[in-house]
Amino acid sequence: QVQLVESGGGLVQAGGSLRLSCAASGRTFSSDAMGWFRQAPGKEREFVGGISWNGAYTHYADSVKGRFTISRDSAKNTVYLQMNSLKPEDTAVYYCARGRSYGLSRSSDYDSWGQGTQVTVSS
């Protein structure tokens, strides 16, 4: 079982940037696809993006494409979500999770969720 801990959330003005981290422990996750999701108040959890086990491939939701970038450092057992040009509608709790394989975007295809980190974008 892998444990995931997100960090790096906070309050930022529209147009600003944040970098979220997701640190894994308990077992190596170097062979796992990973994903980021977010959930705003009153809304369902939605897929943000995913990365393959070796970091060679990434895919994103249309709403964040061109603004967000996912990367990973297997030596540090950490996955990152760089968020640029943030908008108020990006406000949500952001979660990382382990995917059953790369290229999936449904919550049910991911397990070992972190506790989430709050991102608030002010206008």
Side-chain angles (χ1 to χ4, degrees), residues 18-30:
L18 280 176
R19 188 177 80 158
L20 306 184
S21 299
C22 171
S25 62
R27 64 177 280 274
T28 179
F29 80 149
S30 59

Side-chain angles (χ1 to χ4, degrees), residues 6 20 35-49 63-64 68 81 83 88-96 107 113-121:
E6 301 93 338
L20 306 184
W36 284 94
F37 287 76
R38 65 187 183 186
Q39 187 166 20
K43 295 186 177 181
E44 294 187 354
R45 188 170 298 187
E46 66 171 350
F47 174 75
V48 173
S63 59
V64 306
F68 290 11
L81 178 65
M83 306 185 294
E89 51 263 44
D90 294 319
T91 295
V93 177
Y94 283 71
Y95 301 88
C96 66
S107 298
W113 294 82
Q115 84 292 347
T117 185
Q118 175 71 47
V119 171
T120 303
V121 184

Side-chain angles (χ1 to χ4, degrees), residues 20-82:
L20 306 184
S21 299
C22 171
S25 62
R27 64 177 280 274
T28 179
F29 80 149
S30 59
S31 59
D32 294 327
M34 298 294 294
W36 284 94
F37 287 76
R38 65 187 183 186
Q39 187 166 20
K43 295 186 177 181
E44 294 187 354
R45 188 170 298 187
E46 66 171 350
F47 174 75
V48 173
I51 188 167
S52 61
W53 69 271
N54 61 357
Y57 303 100
T58 55
H59 62 129
Y60 302 93
D62 288 343
S63 59
V64 306
K65 200 172 294 183
R67 299 187 299 122
F68 290 11
T69 303
I70 298 176
S71 60
R72 67 191 300 162
D73 185 337
S74 294
K76 295 183 178 179
N77 265 5
T78 301
V79 176
Y80 302 98
L81 178 65
Q82 177 68 44

Side-chain angles (χ1 to χ4, degrees), residues 1-18:
Q1 187 77 5
V2 62
Q3 290 79 45
L4 303 173
V5 178
E6 301 93 338
S7 62
L11 174 64
V12 64
Q13 288 188 333
S17 299
L18 280 176

